[in-house]
Amino acid sequence: MITDPKSSKVRGVAKLNKKDARSETGLFLLEGPQGLKEAIARPELLVEVFVTAEAQERYQDLISNLDVPVQLVSESVMKVLSDTSTPQGTLAVCRQLDVSLDSVISAKPKLIALLANVRDPGNAGTVLRAADAAGADAVIFSQNSVDLYNTKLVRSTTGSIFHLPVVLGADLASTIASLKQADLQVFAATAGGDLITELDSVELRKPTVWMMGNEAWGFDDETLDLADRQVALPIYGRAESLNLATAASVCFYVTAMAQNS
Amino acid sequence: MITDPKSSKVRGVAKLNKKDARSETGLFLLEGPQGLKEAIARPELLVEVFVTAEAQERYQDLISNLDVPVQLVSESVMKVLSDTSTPQGTLAVCRQLDVSLDSVISAKPKLIALLANVRDPGNAGTVLRAADAAGADAVIFSQNSVDLYNTKLVRSTTGSIFHLPVVLGADLASTIASLKQADLQVFAATAGGDLITELDSVELRKPTVWMMGNEAWGFDDETLDLADRQVALPIYGRAESLNLATAASVCFYVTAMAQNS
């Protein structure tokens, strides 16, 4: 059992909570049993797993199914490894996945989520989870969006990070051009747009990219101009807007329900 | 200008970040200019406002429109008053609102959100904001749900807390009985339920209560039995579920879009 929170091993792993160390190593951290369960289906991505004694007992079936080294650690070591104040007792080191836009497009996608300058890890992770639930074929992160491998982001996907291809560091202009070329329509979700309830079902069912903008300022004009259409959710009450993840979820589901009806 | 973070005034206001002090005084804290803007429309609820010099200049129009005492405070005092590490520079003390189930029912509601044992303040606040956007007529918090006046919850509503009636401390059995009596159908949002896409439009358009359960364990059987129907969102991809606030938003919008179509 590793009990020294200051050992070089522990410090090395804990560093993966920082973007620099993730970029250097090509690794990231996956906290908690829920994500770990999903990671088992992608054994090529798992490197090693750290567990506390309590978690080892509690998640016995899960842990015994792992095909990678499992290292017992003390509670105090887990606190150092985790970025949360209440660690869930398991922490996996995983390899980063790299997917190209070409491979996404060649799979003839019907629904794609495109995050344009989304900065909050919790928001981005929840959007990724919602995209997965809605059956999206891929998620694309633009340049200047939050790092996909941010520990909080990974946690808030609850395993969806392993379920669908994610394209990283996309240049918005060239990416959107390629998506349009492949006959996807690009909707920018924005308060000033055409109401989604006024689109006809033929349009709603077309292969669609939902582009979500920055939490605070939305889109710059240049990015808006890249979209085929600006689309808004109706506000039936008095809220000024929805938050990013809830707006994205409704957009994805309206499209998915139309495409699957 | 108040500059002493340890003054009794400052400590008294900062205490409102705790539930006990809120219950004792009937007051709560509203952080940030966005919520304050909404509060101005409900002047009977505002007691006093604290601002930093920077915020006073930045939100000049907003601050000069206030009809209550405005107190300048130093940055270090604002840090003590606020529960966040990066305060937004304005903090209002507000009176709690008290709404009865009877008054909600007598307004002939078409859409109500019912939070049954929802515990996370960020989730609950985001659900309230989504309910407002979807035009819900009221939100009901059950006994054992998170305190509506939790500072983080209030902040995550971004002002929606002032937009629609909220009933607190509801006993689930008697509340649901009253809602059914008033010809509202009660849907429990739960993964095992009937798919929302299989409900016909007549049913979708009926006056509806969406009951959302606890983030971790959903509903107990007793509560599920109170609902008219268990309803699920389809999962088109591989996610096990949506998070509470995104699931709630999709449910509210599917109903609102059907009722308004």
Side-chain angles (χ1 to χ4, degrees):
Chain A
M1 175 150 80
I2 304 180
T3 56
D4 179 7
K6 290 182 178 158
S7 73
S8 63
K9 173 78 179 176
V10 172
R11 281 183 294 145
V13 173
K15 261 193 197 159
L16 296 174
N17 284 302
K18 306 269 178 209
K19 186 174 178 185
D20 285 354
R22 290 194 296 267
S23 305
E24 261 170 44
T25 57
L27 300 172
F28 69 101
L29 297 177
L30 170 72
E31 223 211 313
Q34 199 174 356
L36 188 56
K37 211 177 80 190
E38 303 301 313
I40 287 181
R42 302 286 299 272
E44 75 281 13
L45 299 178
L46 269 179
V47 177
E48 63 182 329
V49 176
F50 299 89
V51 291
T52 60
E54 193 198 330
Q56 191 175 40
E57 199 181 315
R58 192 160 171 189
Y59 308 114
Q60 212 166 7
D61 291 352
L62 178 62
I63 306 284
S64 61
N65 265 322
L66 293 169
D67 226 7
V68 293
V70 175
Q71 180 68 60
L72 206 60
V73 301
S74 66
E75 300 280 343
S76 62
V77 165
M78 187 55 83
K79 278 227 153 120
V80 173
L81 295 178
S82 165
D83 75 328
T84 63
S85 49
T86 51
Q88 299 178 64
T90 80
L91 189 98
V93 177
C94 300
R95 283 185 196 89
Q96 298 180 12
L97 330 80
D98 200 6
V99 178
S100 71
L101 183 61
D102 286 350
S103 70
V104 165
I105 286 177
S106 66
K108 304 222 176 298
K110 286 169 61 193
L111 176 59
I112 287 179
L114 169 53
L115 277 58
N117 303 307
V118 171
R119 304 305 292 266
D120 179 76
N123 268 337
T126 306
V127 170
L128 202 159
R129 179 178 175 186
D132 181 18
D137 300 286
V139 176
I140 302 173
F141 281 54
S142 76
Q143 287 165 357
N144 299 321
S145 284
V146 59
D147 179 27
L148 170 66
Y149 300 109
N150 175 294
T151 311
K152 184 178 174 192
L153 194 162
V154 173
R155 191 170 46 241
S156 59
T157 72
T158 64
S160 287
I161 191 172
F162 298 109
H163 290 163
L164 71 178
V166 183
V167 178
L168 297 179
D171 169 72
L172 284 170
S174 64
T175 300
I176 291 176
S178 302
L179 293 165
K180 286 178 170 176
Q181 181 77 28
D183 285 329
L184 287 130
Q185 62 184 350
V186 179
F187 287 169
T190 182
D194 304 326
L195 288 183
I196 197 170
T197 42
E198 285 171 12
L199 305 187
D200 67 38
S201 63
V202 174
E203 188 169 4
L204 265 181
R205 293 161 84 143
K206 283 185 191 162
T208 300
V209 179
W210 273 108
M211 179 164 64
M212 313 303 302
N214 179 270
E215 295 85 344
W217 46 264
F219 298 101
D220 53 37
D221 289 344
E222 206 183 326
T223 304
L224 272 186
D225 286 345
L226 299 171
D228 290 302
R229 222 191 223 268
Q230 300 176 29
V231 181
L233 292 173
I235 300 286
Y236 296 111
R238 293 167 59 208
E240 242 177 59
S241 64
L242 286 154
N243 96 344
L244 177 72
T246 55
S249 306
V250 178
C251 292
F252 300 164
Y253 261 89
V254 169
T255 292
M257 285 176 172
Q259 290 181 342
N260 288 281
S261 69
Chain B
M1 172 151 81
I2 304 180
T3 56
D4 179 5
K6 290 182 179 160
S7 73
S8 62
K9 173 80 179 172
V10 172
R11 280 183 296 146
V13 173
K15 263 194 198 158
L16 296 174
N17 284 303
K18 306 268 179 209
K19 186 173 178 185
D20 285 353
R22 292 194 295 268
S23 303
E24 262 170 43
T25 56
L27 301 172
F28 68 100
L29 296 177
L30 171 71
E31 222 210 311
Q34 199 175 355
L36 187 56
K37 213 177 78 189
E38 303 299 314
I40 286 180
R42 302 285 298 272
E44 75 280 15
L45 299 178
L46 269 178
V47 177
E48 64 181 327
V49 176
F50 300 89
V51 291
T52 60
E54 194 198 328
Q56 190 174 41
E57 201 181 312
R58 191 155 169 193
Y59 309 114
Q60 211 166 9
D61 292 351
L62 177 62
I63 306 284
S64 62
N65 265 322
L66 294 169
D67 227 6
V68 293
V70 175
Q71 180 68 61
L72 206 59
V73 300
S74 66
E75 301 279 343
S76 61
V77 165
M78 186 54 83
K79 279 229 153 119
V80 172
L81 295 178
S82 164
D83 75 329
T84 63
S85 49
T86 51
Q88 299 177 64
T90 80
L91 189 98
V93 176
C94 300
R95 281 183 199 91
Q96 298 180 11
L97 330 81
D98 201 4
V99 178
S100 71
L101 183 61
D102 286 351
S103 71
V104 165
I105 286 177
S106 67
K108 304 222 175 298
K110 285 170 59 193
L111 177 59
I112 288 180
L114 169 54
L115 277 58
N117 303 307
V118 172
R119 305 305 292 267
D120 179 77
N123 268 337
T126 306
V127 170
L128 202 159
R129 178 178 175 187
D132 180 18
D137 300 285
V139 175
I140 303 174
F141 281 54
S142 75
Q143 289 165 354
N144 299 322
S145 283
V146 58
D147 180 29
L148 170 66
Y149 300 109
N150 174 294
T151 310
K152 185 178 172 191
L153 194 162
V154 172
R155 189 170 50 240
S156 59
T157 72
T158 63
S160 288
I161 192 172
F162 298 109
H163 289 163
L164 71 177
V166 182
V167 178
L168 296 179
D171 168 72
L172 284 170
S174 64
T175 300
I176 291 176
S178 303
L179 292 164
K180 286 178 169 176
Q181 182 77 28
D183 285 330
L184 287 129
Q185 62 184 350
V186 178
F187 286 170
T190 180
D194 304 325
L195 288 182
I196 197 170
T197 42
E198 286 170 13
L199 305 187
D200 67 37
S201 64
V202 173
E203 188 170 3
L204 266 181
R205 293 160 86 142
K206 284 184 190 162
T208 300
V209 179
W210 273 108
M211 178 165 64
M212 312 303 301
N214 177 272
E215 295 86 344
W217 45 265
F219 299 101
D220 54 36
D221 289 344
E222 206 184 327
T223 304
L224 272 188
D225 286 346
L226 298 170
D228 289 302
R229 222 191 224 266
Q230 300 176 29
V231 182
L233 292 173
I235 301 287
Y236 296 110
R238 293 167 58 207
E240 241 177 62
S241 63
L242 288 154
N243 95 345
L244 177 72
T246 55
S249 307
V250 177
C251 292
F252 301 163
Y253 261 89
V254 170
T255 293
M257 285 177 172
Q259 289 181 343
N260 288 281
S261 69

